[in-house]
Amino acid sequence: MILYNVTIILDNEIQIEWLNWMQKKQIPQLMETGYFDSNRLLKILDSPNEGVTYCVQFVVDSIEKLNEFKQKHGQFLEANTPTKFNNKLVIFPTAMEFIDK
């Protein structure tokens, strides 16, 4: 299992509007692609960054499936982010493998 984590650092001024958009539009659209089994949205409480930091996490069956998602949907998050948020947030994704016994 793979955890696809997308960290978003955003200006305080857009936090409420961005969060509403993320919960009502973006996450549902990403789940509709059929690649992810589950998701969660987290707010980082002790971020060293200015502004507010969130993580959106998606669980996918395999790295191959994640790579296929990336190939087909590439910059989905960045491309679908409303222009009113431009220059007010930074997005960076990471992939992690679950280590279970």
Side-chain angles (χ1 to χ4, degrees):
M1 299 291 284
I2 303 296
L3 180 72
Y4 184 53
N5 182 80
V6 181
T7 302
I8 305 102
I9 304 165
L10 45 112
D11 291 351
N12 286 323
E13 67 190 60
I14 66 166
Q15 177 182 196
I16 293 170
E17 189 175 5
W18 177 88
L19 191 55
N20 185 47
W21 167 77
M22 181 60 70
Q23 291 175 308
K24 293 193 169 135
K25 287 195 167 194
Q26 189 70 340
I27 292 173
Q29 287 177 340
L30 282 161
M31 292 305 292
E32 285 174 10
T33 66
Y35 285 93
F36 304 111
D37 297 327
S38 64
N39 70 80
R40 72 177 62 125
L41 178 62
L42 304 117
K43 181 178 179 181
I44 297 180
L45 300 177
D46 60 353
S47 174
N49 302 303
E50 287 188 30
V52 184
T53 304
Y54 285 91
C55 291
V56 185
Q57 298 181 336
F58 299 92
V59 175
V60 60
D61 292 341
S62 66
I63 193 67
E64 292 80 17
K65 198 170 179 181
L66 178 58
N67 288 337
E68 183 179 326
F69 166 80
K70 288 178 176 180
Q71 200 170 34
K72 288 185 177 180
H73 301 284
Q75 301 296 318
F76 190 97
L77 223 102
E78 293 89 338
N80 291 307
T81 300
T83 56
K84 62 184 163 190
F85 298 146
N86 283 357
N87 301 317
K88 296 182 181 185
L89 55 80
V90 176
I91 299 171
F92 59 94
T94 52
M96 296 170 255
E97 183 177 16
F98 284 92
I99 305 298
D100 294 324
K101 293 183 179 187

